[in-house]
Amino acid sequence: MKLVLFYGSVRPGRLVDRVGCFVKDLVEANGFEVTLLDPGEMPFEILKCPLHFYPDILEAPDWLVEANEKIRDAECFLVVSAEYNATIPPALSNMLDHFNMTSYRHKPLGLVTYSMGHFGGIRAASTIRQLGIELGMVPIPANAHIPMAETTFDETGICLDERVSSRILRLVEELRWYATALSSYKAIEAPPNAPQYSLE
């Protein structure tokens, strides 16, 4: 099962390198084929022209087209993100907005958020969930909000709290269930009313 993992932080010393490392290893250990899209490593600029607005797709950067193909071919999505100023990090929303809604549509979305404080990024999760819905994703009920992330994960990405690792595992299991269910039904009947944006 193909999964795209989105990182949501670009700050120096970001904790997503710890949390995301653990999540990626866990997801791969549970049989997913993972593609990582990291705004800290990819050349995203402030959004001026999303991929589907290019008059000629041949004018779009190759890396952007290739990333969209990975999103389009995925069966589910997982976001690992910090919380910036009680909301979604700008780099994450900027990255997600670059791509075609039809690449996201009718696929489940799981959220792992974290913070250095006590709320575990829950306010960012609420915003990310709404953005996911607007893009056509299907946010799953399970969630993983991780407070005090700097002491929950060591510098190598090992989780030091069994309750947190169990919570993330439950999310991954539920994400697989939803991805399997939606993929199976889409093979029987195409989703209705999907917006069409051509990349030809």
Side-chain angles (χ1 to χ4, degrees):
M1 183 169 289
K2 295 180 180 179
L3 177 149
V4 171
L5 175 62
F6 297 100
Y7 278 6
S9 177
V10 296
R11 285 175 174 170
R14 61 187 189 165
L15 291 174
V16 76
D17 290 319
R18 300 190 195 185
V19 182
C21 177
F22 175 82
V23 171
K24 184 173 184 290
D25 287 348
L26 181 64
V27 168
E28 289 177 335
N30 280 271
F32 288 88
E33 178 185 331
V34 179
T35 295
L36 173 62
L37 297 186
D38 180 355
E41 299 294 335
M42 301 173 72
F44 287 103
E45 297 180 352
I46 293 176
L47 182 63
K48 296 178 181 177
C49 183
L51 181 59
H52 49 285
F53 280 15
Y54 278 87
D56 183 348
I57 193 60
L58 297 177
E59 297 176 2
D62 289 343
W63 66 268
L64 191 62
V65 175
E66 291 168 5
N68 185 72
E69 290 173 355
K70 295 291 187 181
I71 295 170
R72 184 193 62 205
D73 293 343
E75 289 144 299
C76 55
F77 307 114
L78 185 56
V79 168
V80 178
S81 181
E83 179 175 289
Y84 286 12
N85 299 320
T87 190
I88 183 173
L92 176 58
S93 58
N94 183 66
M95 173 173 59
L96 295 175
D97 284 342
H98 270 81
F99 299 106
N100 194 335
M101 287 175 64
T102 56
S103 299
Y104 295 119
R105 199 162 180 84
H106 301 110
K107 299 174 186 179
L109 168 66
L111 300 177
V112 177
T113 59
Y114 62 88
S115 70
M116 296 178 68
H118 296 286
F119 295 108
I122 193 169
R123 295 169 295 187
S126 177
T127 307
I128 298 167
R129 181 179 296 271
Q130 290 302 314
L131 176 58
I133 291 170
E134 186 64 25
L135 292 173
M137 302 181 204
V138 182
I140 65 173
N143 57 70
H145 308 306
I146 307 165
M148 314 300 291
E150 75 281 9
T151 58
T152 303
F153 295 86
D154 70 13
E155 293 182 358
T156 66
I158 294 175
C159 182
L160 306 175
D161 188 330
E162 186 175 342
R163 294 172 300 175
V164 170
S165 59
S166 295
R167 194 179 311 141
I168 297 172
L169 178 58
R170 288 196 301 271
L171 183 151
V172 170
E173 291 171 343
E174 186 164 302
L175 185 63
R176 172 184 290 282
W177 187 91
Y178 272 87
T180 301
L182 287 170
S183 295
S184 298
Y185 194 75
K186 281 186 283 188
I188 299 171
E189 181 178 344
N193 304 320
Q196 299 298 315
Y197 298 111
S198 175
L199 291 180
E200 298 303 328

